[in-house]
Amino acid sequence: MSTSSSFTPSRRTVLKGVGAGAALAMTGGFAGRAFAADPIKVAAVYTVPVEQQWVSRIHKAANAAKERGDIEYVFSENTANTDYERVLREYCEAGHKLILGEVFGVEDAARAVATDYPDVAFLAGSSFKPDAEKLPNFATFDNYIQDASYLTGLIAGAMTKSKNIGMVGGYPIPEVNRLMNAFIAGVKESAPDTKFQVAFIGSWFDPPKAKETAFAQIDAGADLLYAERFGVSDAAKERKVLAVGNVIDTQKDYPDTVVASALWHFEPTLDHAIAQVKAGAFKAEDYGVYSFMKNGGCSLAPLGSFDGKVPAEVMAKVAEKEKAIKDGSLTIEIDDKEPKSS
């Protein structure tokens, strides 16, 4: 998710509850250890603020697990890439048994830490796959929410009048590309002649830059924006055009602007990891499937104030496609290629 961080290192740690932590029954080998029913100690290292869309979903799921007593949870945000490895090692040394984070810009360092702490489970946001043979305690995930993104595209294609859509992303990496491409595929089903303006701002959290990029796309004829980054919906609101949200639901904040959003739910991903750690069965596997709609990992947000404003026939098609995705009869393509303007 992140290839760089423009933030100076600052650390905020939240810890609640005392408890005995993750008691181990030493039976040899990581997968052979059985955890007690006590909450396990979980730590997360984030390169951006927890308010940022992508990270906020991990943070939300972790807090939910903490509230129900499954885990103790601490985190560091705004961690610079150059500081990431040190923070990881501190959490491992402190006895945390499950480490979360986005390691897109620090992949080698994160895997090196995991190598040095084979008894700690690592669940890392990554564009790469796990290597069960070399690193059995390092699992990867990403926000594979192409199903919901496709559905928002169906709606967007019906709502654009100029047939010109602007798309503003952070970086052209697989997790961004696949969502944009799924959105484009949905738009083309509803409005095949639509043109797309695609731009990447080179940052994961620069709302002013995203806003200015969106303004330029509106000036070039876009009447609907794909808001992969914060700042895009602000531009749409100011210029009175529509926007489609990504990962989080901002409809209540932009009731006259955000017509639809693709939501990411990290809970299935995290809950599987917690269960595996507690069972002593955590292993290097690809957790991406837990973001699929059929596994509860993504959804189409309620239309809110746009309920009834999207053509009924389009919403009927959306409902039909959603049902097919959930029952497995329709598979949305995972297209990681960088999307281009057309």
Side-chain angles (χ1 to χ4, degrees):
M1 192 213 64
S2 182
T3 58
S4 66
S5 175
S6 60
F7 298 93
T8 55
S10 67
R11 188 168 177 179
R12 179 172 71 187
T13 304
V14 176
L15 176 60
K16 185 177 181 181
V18 284
L24 289 175
M26 301 295 289
T27 57
F30 183 85
R33 297 184 176 183
F35 287 81
D38 294 329
I40 61 172
K41 293 180 68 175
V42 176
V45 185
Y46 307 125
T47 63
V48 294
V50 291
E51 292 81 8
Q52 192 258 15
Q53 306 103 297
W54 197 91
V55 160
S56 73
R57 306 307 286 177
I58 304 172
H59 188 59
K60 177 178 180 289
N63 277 315
K66 181 183 74 171
E67 288 170 7
R68 66 175 183 255
D70 281 343
I71 67 173
E72 295 177 0
Y73 172 53
V74 298
F75 69 93
S76 295
E77 62 181 347
N78 290 341
T79 304
N81 284 1
T82 53
D83 211 28
Y84 203 95
E85 181 175 349
R86 178 188 63 79
V87 177
L88 280 183
R89 290 185 183 278
E90 285 183 357
Y91 280 136
C92 291
E93 288 293 329
H96 294 90
K97 292 303 173 184
L98 174 61
I99 306 290
L100 307 173
E102 7 85 81
V103 304
F104 296 88
V106 288
E107 191 85 30
D108 290 342
R111 290 180 185 247
V113 174
T115 300
D116 291 343
Y117 294 90
D119 295 332
V120 178
F122 289 78
L123 180 59
S126 171
S127 295
F128 297 95
K129 299 299 182 184
D131 187 336
E133 183 176 339
K134 293 183 179 179
L135 204 52
N137 61 324
F138 193 91
T140 61
F141 69 88
D142 210 338
N143 62 329
Y144 283 86
I145 63 170
Q146 64 280 343
D147 301 326
S149 296
Y150 163 78
L151 296 180
T152 64
L154 291 175
I155 294 171
M159 298 300 285
T160 176
K161 293 183 172 63
S162 67
K163 299 298 184 285
N164 185 327
I165 291 178
M167 306 183 73
V168 181
Y171 293 91
I173 66 170
E175 72 140 319
V176 175
N177 297 344
R178 74 175 68 102
L179 307 188
M180 284 187 165
N181 286 324
F183 172 81
I184 290 170
V187 170
K188 288 183 175 180
E189 279 197 36
S190 294
D193 54 342
T194 299
K195 302 298 182 183
F196 299 90
Q197 301 178 58
V198 181
F200 299 93
I201 63 172
S203 172
W204 292 122
F205 197 75
D206 192 343
K209 188 173 183 179
K211 186 176 181 180
E212 288 304 315
T213 303
F215 278 148
Q217 293 179 339
I218 296 169
D219 290 341
D223 69 346
L224 189 147
L225 301 173
Y226 179 79
E228 201 269 329
R229 292 292 103 196
F230 276 151
V232 177
S233 293
D234 292 312
K237 179 180 178 181
E238 286 189 27
R239 296 292 183 87
K240 300 188 186 309
V241 302
L242 299 178
V244 165
N246 178 59
V247 175
I248 62 175
D249 185 3
T250 58
Q251 216 283 322
K252 66 181 183 302
D253 299 317
Y254 304 92
D256 300 319
T257 303
V258 175
V259 62
S261 296
L263 305 185
W264 182 32
H265 306 293
F266 190 69
E267 287 78 2
T269 302
L270 180 57
D271 291 351
H272 179 68
I274 292 170
Q276 294 299 100
V277 171
K278 287 192 171 186
F282 188 89
K283 61 184 179 181
E285 60 180 303
D286 185 352
Y287 276 58
V289 294
Y290 297 105
S291 290
F292 288 13
M293 184 171 282
K294 64 183 179 181
N295 293 321
C298 67
S299 68
L300 180 67
L303 298 187
S305 57
F306 280 90
D307 191 18
K309 297 179 182 179
V310 181
E313 64 272 17
V314 174
M315 292 310 299
K317 184 176 184 179
V318 168
E320 176 188 339
K321 298 286 188 177
E322 183 177 16
K323 181 178 181 297
I325 292 170
K326 288 180 176 179
D327 68 23
S329 60
L330 173 63
T331 300
I332 304 304
E333 180 184 5
I334 297 174
D335 182 356
D336 289 343
K337 296 189 303 294
E338 180 179 342
K340 302 294 184 180
S341 297
S342 59

